[in-house]
């Protein structure tokens, strides 16, 4: 029959059209998520403030109140803390008087509270504190997990004085009227979210939920930084899509049939919820009814019968439609249903009616599949995955009551989102147990948050803490400068005999040596009017020489110099040489420095207590190399200052924050008690890494810092450096992670053997983990704020950050959940922020002293800075500079990155 074929064709959506529908839904989702376009979006993409899915450890007694179509259901749910055990559930249903639906809102909530009181009295519950989850299946604008304003009623509810009011507060007030002072409403949940939270399979929670019932809706765990309507959240957040409204802007106009238009016009909300009216079971019977009317009018059905009965709205129920689609009993059911309406269908009529019912239900399934595919593709793209594996909780009469619907949904979703593998998990008691699970998860996360905050609190420094560190650094500086007090100071304040910074007139050709680690550099530096030109070569120092005799070490250095001079055709020239020697030294002159101790794995004998310049000269004599003229020995910090000073004459401070840390600055000679002379200035090598070695910083050392110190090769030494520098930050993080595991706050408390290995968590991991995270917001908020936000990091990124964390943790043989990854990020951020703030406190002491020395109201100075931590960490520099501005508001400090402090800087010391 051509008329029937046309009708079936109109109701069949080709795959390419479904792809287009998926694309339009993706656009609608993005529009709803965006702060700029949210107000105009049909799909509201409402944040639910649920930022965590179950991990299986949830336990305790929870109360649930569920508002249903014509009754209130109350539940008592007990979780055991074992994912493999089903929760224990007691419930009671209270029929709701019909007049409540259209009465005053206060009456509705008083009735719900009365039901709660009667239920608790009936089960004899104790008066212990009871958290309650409230299932409220209407559109709300949530601003917290326990704060939600009603947007509008639906489903025949029309209670007055309610829209725009906080429904959680209304219920809490009603509960207080019933004198249930031990019951607190902790979470508001809609039925879709409840479905997602109640389902898991294989120990893995669901991250998407889909309801296909009288209405339809979906929710999913979105990357929280994409939910722009929410501030100060991170990780993930469940978003209630309200996808029933998809198409209200005309996005579905190309698939709407005349039958759909009739259904819409006869509805209570014409022009609204266009997607729901194609999918929801409330409307499928009506769509079929209008198809039958049209075909009967065209004489393609029920020839000779009056079809007036079909013009009555609601005469065909969706349940009948589902039964008619059955392969076995469908024809018989079609005949029964049509005859019950007074029609006299032929066998051909029954067959055609069955075809129509099937195509209407199939269309609903394929449209749901297009919507689900849009969600899955969005999740896959936003997480930066090549393939997404996810569990999808599904509930509703249409899904449960029609096997073919479920099969179509699964297969078409796979075709439309081939990069995603979705396992559909049928829901049990999604709304009731789901609301209890939301509440249980919120309480678990809040309790964990309190423990995490308590553990990390000693690492979070207040303004007063930083001001105290600044004052202590200033005191130690003064002690280090004093002739009589220098021996007792932890900050040695070593004179460098560098009396000036570059003024731009320096010219000439210089040699530079750079010894600070396993690699040794030799450079030739040509300072001209048009800039500095350098050539260099790197030489390896074998471990046998590093840990052998001093003679062998310095002989090797001379051999490298001679090889370099030969290659550069410099053997016949005697050039001034600057020697960067990055080990603790006491300088007795510009070209005389006594080694105080070896570090960085060196232990060459016969060097400590000796003048390293003299050791170099003696090696040159042994090698019969006469063209060596050492005019200055400097450490890398001074070299950094001098190198930057050539580009900026205001550079009078040097700062290194890398594997180690140190600072130098230009001090007034009259304040340097350890050197004779009153006029001018001298660069002071602070050696501030040892700040606190005398115990003055003991109050700021945490248990984690003490563990790092105890396992170091120089216990009790370089205490400030062990709080700041790249050599130690990864170790601090590792010890914190172990403590979190021990408290069962991380990795579910499972043993982590590899994490027990010293230095396994490298400092470079901090930079990678924090690469897409901005500096943390200050303040931790209230306990309820913790419940609401779940995780207090601030993260607005491209969605790849947590994947990077999980990759790093997998390499360490750690199986991290999403929450684990967020917590590891927080630990890294806390440790690196403290390092930056402490460094700033030390620097604040330096610039304030310089300002006071010079009697200035405002100091303008440049800091030459080098070091991998400062250069490579994504936020360290910004955090240091911001804290410095806070602590030294009368100083304008500019930071200039050093290009080659140890090489170019040494040559410039010689040149100056």
């Amino acid at each position: 029959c051509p008329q029937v074929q046309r009708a079936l064709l109109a109701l069949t959506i080709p795959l390419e059209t479904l792809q287009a529908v998926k694309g339009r839904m993706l656009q609608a989702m993005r529009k709803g998520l965006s702060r700029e376009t949210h107000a105009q979006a049909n799909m509201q993409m409402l944040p639910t403030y649920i930022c965590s899915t179950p991990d299986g450890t949830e336990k305790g007694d929870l109360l649930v109140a569920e508002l249903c179509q014509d009754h209130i259901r109350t539940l008592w749910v007990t979780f055991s803390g074992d994912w493999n055990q089903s929760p224990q559930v007691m419930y009671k249903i209270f029929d709701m008087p019909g007049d409540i639906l259209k009465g005053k809102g206060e009456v509705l909530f008083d009735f719900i509270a009365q039901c709660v009181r009667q239920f608790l009295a009936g089960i004899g519950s104790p008066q212990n504190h009871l958290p309650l989850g409230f299932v409220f299946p209407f559109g709300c604008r949530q601003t917290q997990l326990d704060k939600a304003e009603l947007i509008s009623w639906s489903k025949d509810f029309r209670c007055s004085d309610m829209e725009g009011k906080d429904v959680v507060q209304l219920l809490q007030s009603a509960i207080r009227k019933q004198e249930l002072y031990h019951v607190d409403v902790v979470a508001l949940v809609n039925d879709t979210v409840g479905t997602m939270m109640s389902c898991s399979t294989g120990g893995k929670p669901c991250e998407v939920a889909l309801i296909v019932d009288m209405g339809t809706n979906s929710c999913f765990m979105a990357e929280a930084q994409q939910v722009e309507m929410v501030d100060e959240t991170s990780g993930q957040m469940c978003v209630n899509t309200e996808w029933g409204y998809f198409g209200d802007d005309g996005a579905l106009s190309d698939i709407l049939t005349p039958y759909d238009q009739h259904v819409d016009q006869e509805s209570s909300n014409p022009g609204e919820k266009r997607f729901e009216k194609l999918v929801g079971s409330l409307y499928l019977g009506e769509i079929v009814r209008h198809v039958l009317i049209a075909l009967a009018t065209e004489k393609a059905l029920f020839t000779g019968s009056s079809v007036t009965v079909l013009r009555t709205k609601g005469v065909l129920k969706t349940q009948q439609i589902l039964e008619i689609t059955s392969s076995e009993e469908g024809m018989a059911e079609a005949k029964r249903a049509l005859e019950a309406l007074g029609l006299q269908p032929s066998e051909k009529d029954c067959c055609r009616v069955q075809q129509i019912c099937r195509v209407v239900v199939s269309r609903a399934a394929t449209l749901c599949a297009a919507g689900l595919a849009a969600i899955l593709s969005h999740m896959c793209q936003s997480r930066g995955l090549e393939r997404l594996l996810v569990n999808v909780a599904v509930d509703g009469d249409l899904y449960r009551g029609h096997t073919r619907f479920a099969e179509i949904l699964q297969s078409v979703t796979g075709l439309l989102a081939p990069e995603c593998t979705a396992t559909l998990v049928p829901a049990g008691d999604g709304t009731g147990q789901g609301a209890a699970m939301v509440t249980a998860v919120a309480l678990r996360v809040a309790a964990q948050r309190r423990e995490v905050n308590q553990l990390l609190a000693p690492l979070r420094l207040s303004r007063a803490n930083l001001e105290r560190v600044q004052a202590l650094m200033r005191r130690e500086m003064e002690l280090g400068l004093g002739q009589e007090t220098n021996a007792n100071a932890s900050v040695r304040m070593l004179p460098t005999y560098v009396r000036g910074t570059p003024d731009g007139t320096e010219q000439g050709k210089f040699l530079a040596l750079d010894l600070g680690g396993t690699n040794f550099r030799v450079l030739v530096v040509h300072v001209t009017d048009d800039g500095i030109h350098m050539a260099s070569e790197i030489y390896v120092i074998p471990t046998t020489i590093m840990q052998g005799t001093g003679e062998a070490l310095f002989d090797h250095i001379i051999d490298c110099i001679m090889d370099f001079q030969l290659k550069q055709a410099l053997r016949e020239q005697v050039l001034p040489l600057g020697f960067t020697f990055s080990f603790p030294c006491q300088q007795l002159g510009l070209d005389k420095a006594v080694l105080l101790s070896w570090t960085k794995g060196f232990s060459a004998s016969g060097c400590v207590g000796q003048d390293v310049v003299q050791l170099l000269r003696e090696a040159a004599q042994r090698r019969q190399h006469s063209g060596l003229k050492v005019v200055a020995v400097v450490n890398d910090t001074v070299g950094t200052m001098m190198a930057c000073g050539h580009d900026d004459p205001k550079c009078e401070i040097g700062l290194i924050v890398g594997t180690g840390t140190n600072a130098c600055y230009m001090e007034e000679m009259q304040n340097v008690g350890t050197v004779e002379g009153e006029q001018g200035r001298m660069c002071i090598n602070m050696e501030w890494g040892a700040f606190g070695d005398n115990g003055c910083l003991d109050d700021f050392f945490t248990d984690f810092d003490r563990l790092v110190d105890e396992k170091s090769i120089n216990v009790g030494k370089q205490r400030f450096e062990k709080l700041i520098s790249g050599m130690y930050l990864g170790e601090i993080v590792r010890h914190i992670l172990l403590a979190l595991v021990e408290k069962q706050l991380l990795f579910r408390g499972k043993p982590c053997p590899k994490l027990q290995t010293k230095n396994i968590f490298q400092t470079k991991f901090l930079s990678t983990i924090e690469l897409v995270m901005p500096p943390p917001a200050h303040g931790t908020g209230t306990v309820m704020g913790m419940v609401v936000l779940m995780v207090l990091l601030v993260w607005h990124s491209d969605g790849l950050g947590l994947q990077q964390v999980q990759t790093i943790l997998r390499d360490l043989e750690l199986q991290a959940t999403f929450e684990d990854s967020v917590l590891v990020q927080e630990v890294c951020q806390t440790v690196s922020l403290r390092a930056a703030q402490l460094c700033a406190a030390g620097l604040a002491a330096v610039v304030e002293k310089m300002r006071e020395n010079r009697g200035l109201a405002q100091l303008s100075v440049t800091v030459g800075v080098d070091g991998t931590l400062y250069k490579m960490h994504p936020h360290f520099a910004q955090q240091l500079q911001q804290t410095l501005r806070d602590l030294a508001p009368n100083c304008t400090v500019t930071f200039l990155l050093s290009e080659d402090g140890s090489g170019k800087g040494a040559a410039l010391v010689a040149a100056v």
Side-chain angles (χ1 to χ4, degrees), residues 59 325 438 474 657 748 819:
K59 59 183 176 181
T325 60
V438 169
R474 176 65 180 268
V657 196
R748 299 188 186 175
E819 285 179 25

Side-chain angles (χ1 to χ4, degrees), residues 738 741 746-756 813-814:
L738 286 171
V741 171
L746 190 64
F747 310 134
R748 299 188 186 175
K750 294 179 180 176
C752 305
K754 204 162 183 179
L755 203 54
Q756 300 283 349
E813 299 174 8
L814 301 169

Side-chain angles (χ1 to χ4, degrees), residues 794-865:
V794 180
W795 186 26
H796 299 282
S797 74
D798 59 4
L800 301 180
L802 293 183
Q803 299 302 323
Q804 294 174 342
V805 183
Q806 289 179 321
T807 299
I808 289 170
L809 296 178
R810 270 197 302 272
D811 291 342
L812 297 177
E813 299 174 8
L814 301 169
Q815 296 304 311
T817 65
F818 206 94
E819 285 179 25
D820 290 335
S821 301
V822 172
L823 184 50
V824 171
Q825 281 185 322
E826 183 178 5
V827 171
C828 291
Q829 199 174 47
T830 301
V831 170
S832 62
L833 174 63
R834 182 186 68 157
Q837 289 176 328
L838 287 171
C839 192
L843 204 52
V846 173
V847 296
E848 276 296 307
K849 187 176 192 314
M850 292 176 69
R851 184 183 67 83
E852 292 174 17
N853 285 347
R854 301 175 188 188
L856 299 174
Q858 190 77 24
L859 172 72
S860 179
V861 68
T862 297
V863 178
V865 60

Side-chain angles (χ1 to χ4, degrees), residues 552-622:
L553 172 61
F554 282 91
D555 285 349
H556 178 71
I557 292 171
I558 292 295
D559 290 340
C560 295
I561 294 171
M562 293 170 68
D563 177 74
F564 178 77
Q565 288 180 311
L566 182 64
K567 290 177 179 176
Q568 296 291 326
L570 298 172
R571 286 298 298 271
E572 303 303 320
Q573 300 182 44
V574 179
L575 300 178
L577 185 147
F579 185 13
T580 298
F581 189 75
S582 302
F583 300 92
C585 289
Q586 180 181 4
Q587 282 201 242
L588 303 177
L590 188 58
D591 63 347
K592 189 170 185 178
V594 174
L595 177 64
L596 299 176
S597 62
W598 282 119
T599 57
K600 307 174 189 178
F602 279 74
S603 60
S605 61
C607 297
V608 174
Q610 300 298 311
D611 176 6
V612 294
V613 176
Q614 186 59 34
L615 293 175
L616 187 65
R617 288 171 175 155
E618 290 171 359
Q621 289 176 356
R622 285 193 298 272

Side-chain angles (χ1 to χ4, degrees), residues 213-416:
D213 207 51
M214 292 177 65
T216 183
N217 197 12
S218 62
C219 67
F220 69 101
M221 295 303 291
E223 304 307 292
Q225 81 283 350
Q226 296 187 345
V227 188
E228 295 181 9
M229 297 304 294
V230 176
D231 295 323
E232 295 189 336
T233 189
S234 69
Q236 295 178 322
M237 178 178 284
C238 180
V239 170
N240 167 22
T241 67
E242 290 292 340
W243 77 1
Y245 292 94
F246 173 53
D248 288 6
D249 58 355
L252 295 173
S253 57
D254 58 335
I255 63 170
L256 293 176
T257 66
Y259 324 119
D260 302 313
Q261 303 288 17
H262 286 305
V263 171
D264 178 56
Q265 290 161 11
E266 291 178 359
S267 70
S268 61
N269 54 348
E272 296 180 10
K273 293 206 165 186
R274 301 309 299 267
F275 188 68
E276 183 168 279
K277 288 170 185 172
L278 301 176
V279 170
S281 65
L282 184 63
Y283 303 98
L284 298 191
E286 286 299 284
I287 296 171
V288 170
R289 182 174 70 84
H290 279 286
V291 177
L292 300 187
I293 291 172
L295 291 176
T297 302
E298 294 177 336
K299 310 295 186 186
L301 283 178
F302 314 129
T303 305
S305 297
S306 171
V307 292
T308 304
V309 66
L310 290 176
R311 301 192 180 278
T312 303
K313 184 179 177 181
V315 294
L316 277 177
K317 307 298 182 187
T318 295
Q319 186 56 42
Q320 293 174 303
I321 303 302
L322 296 179
E323 290 170 356
I324 289 171
T325 60
S326 168
S327 298
E328 298 175 0
E329 303 293 331
M331 289 282 288
E333 181 55 37
K335 185 176 179 64
R336 280 194 296 271
L338 295 170
E339 288 179 344
L341 294 176
L343 300 171
Q344 297 175 352
S346 65
E347 184 175 350
K348 188 176 290 185
D349 288 337
C350 292
C351 178
R352 290 172 177 172
V353 168
Q354 185 183 46
Q355 286 180 292
I356 292 161
C357 290
R358 284 177 175 172
V359 77
V360 168
V361 172
S362 295
R363 183 182 70 157
T366 59
L367 285 170
C368 277
L372 180 56
I375 289 174
L376 298 179
S377 291
H378 174 85
M379 292 173 69
C380 189
Q381 292 165 14
S382 62
R383 297 181 184 185
L385 300 176
E386 292 183 5
R387 184 156 202 84
L388 174 72
L389 303 175
V390 68
N391 290 339
V392 179
V394 193
D395 201 4
D397 290 340
L398 196 51
Y399 177 82
R400 288 194 304 265
H402 194 268
T403 305
R404 183 65 182 145
F405 186 98
E407 292 171 352
I408 294 171
L409 177 63
Q410 180 85 64
S411 61
V412 176
T413 300
L415 291 173
L416 296 176

Side-chain angles (χ1 to χ4, degrees), residues 12 85 102 163 207 286 323 405 424 515 530 541 565 669 728 732 760 809 893 900:
T12 302
Q85 292 185 18
K102 295 178 173 61
E163 292 181 358
E207 296 185 80
E286 286 299 284
E323 290 170 356
F405 186 98
L424 303 186
L515 178 62
D530 62 346
I541 302 179
Q565 288 180 311
M669 278 293 294
Y728 303 101
I732 297 171
I760 196 73
L809 296 178
V893 183
D900 185 359

Side-chain angles (χ1 to χ4, degrees), residues 473 476 489-492 661-662 686-697 701 716-722:
M473 176 68 84
E476 292 297 305
S490 62
V491 181
R492 298 294 302 276
T661 184
N662 194 15
M686 295 178 66
E687 289 293 341
W688 80 0
F691 176 40
D693 287 5
N694 59 359
C696 68
L697 290 181
F701 293 127
K717 304 294 184 184
Q718 299 293 105
R719 300 299 300 278
F720 192 56
E721 183 168 272
K722 288 171 183 172

